[in-house]
Amino acid sequence: MVQQVTPETTIKVIYPESDGQPMADNTEQFAWIVKIKENLEILFALQPDVFIAGDLFWYPVKGSPNIKQAPDTMVVFGRPKGKRGSYLQWNEENIPPQVVFEILSPGNTLKEMTKKLQFYQRYGVEEYYIYDPDKNDLNGLLRSEDSFEVIEEMNSWVSPRLRISFTLTPDTLEIVSSTGQKFLSPVEIDQLREQERQRAERECQAKEAALEELEKERDRYQELLAKLKEKGIDTDNL
C-alpha cells in the first residue's frame, strides 16, 4: 500500500498596516510629529540610504505580528527611501530604526510609555527622544550595550546619529541642524520661502532700475557729444 504524503499547509502571516487609531490625540502633538518628521526629511533629502517615517508600524520579528510599535517618528540609516506599508525588519537587511521620537499627549499612560521603552531597548534603538509639548519637557535615552542610559542634560544635547541639537527655551523646544538650519513648521517654511521670493524680486527690480538709469546716462552722454560736435568741438581729443 502506497501512503500519500500531504504537503504541509503554509499559513500566511498578516502584518496589519493600521490599528484604526489616530496618529495624534490633539493638534499640538500632531504639529510636533509633522515638524520633526518633515524637517528630518529635508535634512537627509540628499542621502538616499536614510529612511524616515512617521506613525509607521515596525515589525522586528518575522512571524510575530503582535510584536510591533508605531513610533511617532523613526529614522533608519542604511535603508533606501521609498514607500512602505509597514517596516518589516527582516525585509530591510534586519536593520532596526536607530533613532526614535515620541511626542507625548495627555492620553499617554505610564504603562504605555514603559512598554514602548522596553520595546525600543530590546529591539535595537540607539537613541530614544521623548518630548512633552504641554510641559515643555524633553527626555532622551542613549544605548549602552544592551540597555538604555538616561541622557542627564538634554539642553544643548547633540544627537550622535542625526547631528541635530536640542535647546529648551522657557516656552518651547528648538531643534537645529549642524549647519544651523532651524526646524520649522510647514507654515514657517512657507513664510521663509515667501520672504526669500520677495527679497529676490526686490533685488531684480533694483538691478532693472540700475540698468535703466545707466541707459539714461548713456543717452545723455551721447546727446552731449552730438551737441559738442554741432559746435565744431573735436570730441575725440577731449
Side-chain angles (χ1 to χ4, degrees):
M1 178 179 179
V2 178
Q3 183 178 3
Q4 290 185 340
V5 179
T6 304
E8 294 182 5
T9 303
T10 302
I11 300 175
K12 184 177 180 181
V13 180
I14 304 298
Y15 301 92
E17 297 180 359
S18 172
D19 59 2
Q21 299 297 316
M23 184 172 76
D25 293 339
N26 56 55
T27 56
E28 182 74 3
Q29 184 189 27
F30 180 80
W32 272 102
I33 293 171
V34 171
K35 177 186 281 190
I36 291 174
K37 190 264 183 186
E38 292 304 315
N39 279 270
L40 287 173
E41 292 275 19
I42 294 170
L43 185 60
F44 292 101
L46 299 180
Q47 294 184 228
D49 62 342
V50 180
F51 173 68
I52 300 165
D55 194 42
L56 184 75
F57 269 141
W58 162 27
Y59 293 93
V61 182
K62 186 175 183 179
S64 300
N66 292 326
I67 301 177
K68 64 182 184 297
Q69 280 294 342
D72 287 336
T73 299
M74 66 181 186
V75 184
V76 191
F77 290 86
R79 298 306 302 151
K81 302 182 188 303
K83 296 179 180 180
R84 290 167 175 80
S86 56
Y87 190 81
L88 306 176
Q89 188 172 313
W90 55 93
N91 289 337
E92 306 284 354
E93 296 186 7
N94 208 35
I95 298 176
Q98 293 95 349
V99 186
V100 162
F101 290 84
E102 291 287 355
I103 308 300
L104 297 185
S105 72
N108 290 125
T109 64
L110 178 60
K111 180 179 179 181
E112 174 190 0
M113 298 312 297
T114 300
K115 283 185 175 181
K116 287 186 176 184
L117 188 151
Q118 292 172 339
F119 181 96
Y120 298 146
Q121 180 173 267
R122 179 174 183 179
Y123 293 107
V125 170
E126 297 175 12
E127 302 176 42
Y128 178 26
Y129 299 105
I130 310 151
Y131 180 56
D132 185 340
D134 289 338
K135 297 179 180 178
N136 190 28
D137 182 49
L138 176 67
N139 289 281
L141 298 106
L142 193 65
R143 177 166 293 277
S144 176
E145 296 182 354
D146 294 330
S147 63
F148 279 141
E149 287 189 0
V150 174
I151 301 169
E152 295 296 339
E153 181 54 65
M154 281 303 303
N155 209 16
S156 300
W157 169 261
V158 177
S159 160
R161 276 284 189 174
L162 306 177
R163 308 306 302 168
I164 59 177
S165 63
F166 303 89
T167 300
L168 283 166
T169 71
D171 300 317
T172 190
L173 169 65
E174 291 184 351
I175 306 175
V176 181
S177 73
S178 59
T179 60
Q181 181 179 344
K182 183 178 177 181
F183 279 29
L184 303 172
S185 69
V187 172
E188 291 170 328
I189 291 173
D190 185 67
Q191 290 173 341
L192 199 62
R193 186 184 297 113
E194 177 61 20
Q195 290 171 7
E196 178 61 24
R197 186 194 66 78
Q198 292 178 2
R199 184 195 64 77
E201 186 176 322
R202 288 194 297 269
E203 285 186 358
C204 183
Q205 290 173 346
K207 288 179 181 178
E208 289 176 354
L211 288 172
E212 186 177 343
E213 185 60 30
L214 187 62
E215 287 289 333
K216 290 180 180 179
E217 283 294 327
R218 189 182 68 175
D219 291 343
R220 285 193 289 266
Y221 178 69
Q222 293 297 332
E223 289 176 6
L224 178 60
L225 289 179
K227 287 179 181 179
L228 291 174
K229 287 180 179 180
E230 287 177 1
K231 294 180 178 181
I233 299 174
D234 185 2
T235 57
D236 293 333
N237 295 320
L238 288 177

